[in-house]
């Protein structure tokens, strides 16, 4: 007994040490870590140069850092783990690929008909805001954004497109637009390679997985309906109809260019009708806080969400939006609308028809060459029957979406007179005809860059991208060039 008592007495200081460490980990620290200060500085540098906005965002983020919602976050995740201060700070401000699934849950809106004190209400605001302000524009693609998409992040963002808080809607849509225009991942690169090299195959498989998540939005009950809900200019945030139509144009154009047979895709009658009148104001006033549009995605949503006032909105529609919707309707109405009832048991059915998912037998059959050789001149381009709307120009991608973006890129212009583009494309055709595939790929990349500079990205963009896809397909059949191509083009 004496030996045991002496041992226990010696153990007391050790137990006290660990008890103090545990208490320290559970109590908010007022000391800002250098990592957090770095995040704070990046966020502030991206905000409008308004002292009030900057001060509001800085103060709010520091409050979240000092007093995170431990119990609320633990209850929402409901995985049996009791989170401490350090855990929540890592999850919220320094997320890794392991946190991606949790982030998808934490940015979802609360269930319908919930009480005003539901924990998801405040947690969603805080997590979606830091996702929008930092993790999407400044985060690492491979360690967080990519796992976030693969975990269902795009659909989670879509759930907030109809959030009653208009500023939160703006953050969700803008975050989605930033993902679609990311410099770290070219969404328009086709999945046309079936390599045997494992390292290359892993990258291709990852691209297929990301493309599949984007395509699955065709089945989402939130994505297209959420964008349509913001087509009414009197029920969206300032600039909201323009942003939502741009996002819809990106998605529809991307789907049709890469995942349809012969560039053929049908839309529902109701979706075509909505596009035709996109941006029209159906009412005179709108219910939201009185901030200017530049503040929609910065300070408003992170503050208290319960202060609103009715303000009058202008009934005028921006000319570029009118032109944009007209060209988009003209383009997508070339195909006949989807036949049959649009609702079954009160639920909308298919809004987009003709999509082919990767790894399906039908999709593999679509990977056919789009460059034909001509015995007289060497090579020439072949494209679909109808001109295609372009994707948003990656050359203008930025860390935040600007509603005043130039819409001239939606016009389908001719390559005639654009000598740098024409020359590079012809160089690619000649290289392809000669069997110099990597040289052809470089030439088509050069033509794409030149085309972006001229902002003439209609049918011509589709032609060049299809040619480049054909080169990818040819490369997949030449095992001896895989090693040379994998680092540069995949």
């Amino acid at each position: 007994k004496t030996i045991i008592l002496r041992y226990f007495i010696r153990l007391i200081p050790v137990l006290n040490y660990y008890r103090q460490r545990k208490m320290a980990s559970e109590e908010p620290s007022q000391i800002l870590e250098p990592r957090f200060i770095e995040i704070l500085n990046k966020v502030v540098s991206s905000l409008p140069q308004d002292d009030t906005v900057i001060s509001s965002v800085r103060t709010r983020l520091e409050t979240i850092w000092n007093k995170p919602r431990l119990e609320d976050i633990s209850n929402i995740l409901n995985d049996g783990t009791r989170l401490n201060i350090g855990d929540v700070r890592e999850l919220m401000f320094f997320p890794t690929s392991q946190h991606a699934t949790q982030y998808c849950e934490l940015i979802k809106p609360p269930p319908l008909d919930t009480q005003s004190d539901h924990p998801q209400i405040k947690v969603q605001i805080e997590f979606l805001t830091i996702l929008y302000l930092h993790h999407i524009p400044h985060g690492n693609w491979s360690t967080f954004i990519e796992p976030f998409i693969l975990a269902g992040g795009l659909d989670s963002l879509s759930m907030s497109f109809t959030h009653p808080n208009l500023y939160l809607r703006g953050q969700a849509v803008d975050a989605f637009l930033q993902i679609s225009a990311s410099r770290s991942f070219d969404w328009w690169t086709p999945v046309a390679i079936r390599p045997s090299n494992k390292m290359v195959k892993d990258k291709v498989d990852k691209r297929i997985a990301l493309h599949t998540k984007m395509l699955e939005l065709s089945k989402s009950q939130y994505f297209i309906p959420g964008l349509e809900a913001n087509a009414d200019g009197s029920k969206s945030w300032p600039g909201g109809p323009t942003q939502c139509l741009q996002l819809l144009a990106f998605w529809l154009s991307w789907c049709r260019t890469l995942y349809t047979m012969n560039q053929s895709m049908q839309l529902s009658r109701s979706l075509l009708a909505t596009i035709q009148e996109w941006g029209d104001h159906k009412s005179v006033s709108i219910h939201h806080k009185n901030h200017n549009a530049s503040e929609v995605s910065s300070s408003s949503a992170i503050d208290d969400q319960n202060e609103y006032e009715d303000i009058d909105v202008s009934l005028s529609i921006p000319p570029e939006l009118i032109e944009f919707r007209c060209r988009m309707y003209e383009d997508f109405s070339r195909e006949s609308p989807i036949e049959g009832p649009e609702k079954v048991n009160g639920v909308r059915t298919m809004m987009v028809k003709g999509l082919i998912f990767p790894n399906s037998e039908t999709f593999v059959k679509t990977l056919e060459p789009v460059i034909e050789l001509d015995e007289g001149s060497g090579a020439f381009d072949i494209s679909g029957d109808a001109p295609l709307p372009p994707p948003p120009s990656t050359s203008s991608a930025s860390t935040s979406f600007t509603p005043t973006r130039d819409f001239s890129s939606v016009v389908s212009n001719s390559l005639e007179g654009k000598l740098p583009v024409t020359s590079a494309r012809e160089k690619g055709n000649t290289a392809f005809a000669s069997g110099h595939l990597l040289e052809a790929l470089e030439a088509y990349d050069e033509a794409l860059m030149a085309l972006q500079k001229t902002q003439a990205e209609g049918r011509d963009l589709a032609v060049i991208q299809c040619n480049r896809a054909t080169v990818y397909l040819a490369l997949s059949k030449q095992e001896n060039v895989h090693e040379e191509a994998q680092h540069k083009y995949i």
Side-chain angles (χ1 to χ4, degrees):
K1 291 182 180 180
T2 303
I3 294 175
I4 294 175
L5 181 61
R6 287 177 179 175
Y7 177 78
F8 180 74
I9 292 174
R10 292 178 180 178
L11 194 60
I12 288 177
V14 178
L15 294 176
N16 285 336
Y17 169 76
Y18 282 104
R19 187 174 71 87
Q20 291 172 1
R21 284 193 60 182
K22 184 176 183 296
M23 290 176 60
S25 68
E26 295 179 350
E27 294 178 356
S29 170
Q30 302 298 320
I31 301 176
L32 303 181
E33 289 187 13
R35 291 188 303 164
F36 174 73
I37 294 175
E38 182 180 355
I39 288 178
L40 204 57
N41 291 336
K42 287 181 179 179
V43 169
V44 168
S45 66
S46 302
L47 294 175
Q49 296 305 303
D50 183 304
D51 292 340
T52 303
V53 174
I54 291 175
S55 176
S56 175
V57 173
R58 182 184 290 275
T59 300
R60 186 61 180 143
L61 289 179
E62 289 178 356
T63 300
I64 295 173
W65 169 268
N66 290 324
K67 297 179 180 180
R69 304 177 187 277
L70 295 182
E71 185 175 352
D72 289 345
I73 294 171
S74 297
N75 290 337
I76 292 170
L77 295 178
N78 195 27
D79 58 0
T81 304
R82 185 173 183 272
L83 303 176
N84 59 36
I85 292 290
D87 296 331
V88 173
R89 285 175 176 169
E90 289 293 324
L91 169 63
M92 188 168 198
F93 294 100
F94 318 109
T96 63
S97 57
Q98 287 73 30
H99 295 131
T101 301
Q102 295 173 316
Y103 239 93
C104 292
E105 292 299 317
L106 293 167
I107 66 170
K108 290 180 179 179
L112 296 175
D113 303 323
T114 56
Q115 299 294 325
S116 58
D117 60 348
H118 193 283
Q120 187 86 26
I121 295 175
K122 295 292 185 181
V123 170
Q124 183 205 14
I125 293 170
E126 295 178 355
F127 273 82
L128 181 54
T129 299
I130 191 62
L131 178 77
Y132 165 72
L133 290 175
H134 180 268
H135 301 329
I136 297 300
H138 304 293
N140 184 281
W141 177 271
S142 60
T143 59
F144 177 72
I145 301 176
E146 182 180 275
F148 171 76
I149 296 172
L150 295 177
L154 297 180
D155 204 39
S156 293
L157 283 174
S158 302
M159 291 182 183
S160 292
F161 289 180
T162 56
H163 197 283
N165 183 303
L166 299 181
Y167 301 105
L168 215 62
R169 290 191 196 186
Q171 290 184 353
V173 171
D174 205 331
F176 203 121
L177 281 165
Q178 292 182 52
I179 290 174
S180 71
S182 173
R183 293 188 179 95
S184 300
F185 183 79
D186 181 7
W187 286 98
W188 295 89
T189 299
V191 177
I193 294 182
R194 297 293 183 272
S196 59
N197 180 283
K198 185 180 185 306
M199 186 170 68
V200 180
K201 184 178 183 299
D202 289 344
K203 293 182 179 181
V204 173
D205 288 345
K206 187 66 67 68
R207 177 172 292 276
I208 291 175
L210 290 168
H211 280 206
T212 300
K213 286 297 180 182
M214 186 68 80
L215 277 171
E216 286 176 348
L217 294 174
S218 62
K219 306 174 183 178
S220 170
Q221 60 179 309
Y222 307 106
F223 180 65
I224 294 180
L227 294 175
E228 286 183 305
N230 291 281
D232 184 346
S234 64
K235 296 181 180 179
S236 189
W237 69 96
T242 299
Q243 287 184 296
C244 289
L245 187 58
Q246 177 122 6
L247 180 51
L248 180 63
F250 157 78
W251 186 81
L252 291 175
S253 302
W254 178 82
C255 289
R256 187 173 64 177
T257 302
L258 299 182
Y259 292 103
T260 59
M261 183 73 75
N262 300 324
Q263 310 293 329
S264 176
M265 183 172 70
Q266 295 175 283
L267 305 186
S268 67
R269 295 181 186 276
S270 61
L271 180 55
L272 285 171
T274 302
I275 292 173
Q276 195 172 22
E277 58 184 20
W278 201 283
D280 287 353
H281 291 72
K282 305 298 178 61
S283 58
V284 178
S285 64
I286 186 169
H287 191 63
H288 65 71
K289 294 176 73 176
N290 188 9
H291 288 284
N292 62 50
S294 64
E295 298 176 13
V296 166
S297 54
S298 54
S299 64
S300 305
I302 202 171
D303 294 329
D304 190 354
Q305 303 300 300
N306 299 318
E307 299 177 7
Y308 294 87
E309 62 182 57
D310 287 315
I311 63 171
D312 290 334
V313 295
S314 171
L315 298 183
S316 63
I317 305 175
E320 63 270 20
L321 178 54
I322 295 177
E323 180 184 2
F324 190 14
R325 75 183 188 184
C326 289
R327 292 185 180 279
M328 189 172 170
Y329 175 78
E330 179 185 357
D331 183 37
F332 284 95
S333 62
R334 288 191 177 96
E335 296 285 347
S336 60
I338 300 173
E339 298 295 336
E342 291 202 12
K343 288 188 178 181
V344 176
N345 298 327
V347 179
R348 289 181 73 177
T349 55
M350 189 180 302
M351 287 175 282
V352 178
K353 184 178 180 180
L355 299 183
I356 304 171
F357 279 68
N359 288 328
S360 66
E361 292 183 7
T362 306
F363 175 74
V364 173
K365 292 179 181 178
T366 66
L367 301 179
E368 298 176 350
V370 293
I371 301 178
E372 290 190 353
L373 301 184
D374 179 13
E375 295 180 358
S377 59
F380 59 92
D381 298 311
I382 295 179
S383 62
D385 294 331
L388 300 175
S393 174
T394 55
S395 63
S396 62
S398 61
T399 56
S400 62
F401 180 81
T402 305
T404 57
R405 182 175 292 173
D406 182 11
F407 286 91
S408 62
S409 61
V410 303
V411 182
S412 182
N413 295 323
S414 171
L415 281 176
E416 184 177 357
K418 308 294 190 301
L419 293 179
V421 181
T422 308
S423 176
R425 190 179 67 168
E426 290 177 350
K427 179 181 176 182
N429 293 346
T430 302
F432 180 88
S434 303
H436 302 143
L437 301 183
L438 295 180
E439 183 180 336
L441 203 52
E442 290 180 353
Y444 291 138
D445 286 345
E446 180 184 342
L448 285 176
M449 292 178 63
L451 193 61
Q452 289 170 357
K453 291 179 181 179
T454 64
Q455 296 188 340
E457 298 182 0
R459 180 186 183 92
D460 308 320
L461 178 65
V463 170
I464 296 174
Q465 286 182 328
C466 286
N467 289 355
R468 193 170 65 160
T470 301
V471 178
Y472 276 116
L473 184 61
L475 281 171
S476 69
K477 300 176 182 178
Q478 293 192 6
E479 294 296 327
N480 61 322
V481 299
H482 278 162
E483 292 295 331
E484 185 179 352
Q486 62 189 358
H487 295 296
K488 187 171 184 180
Y489 299 114
I490 305 300

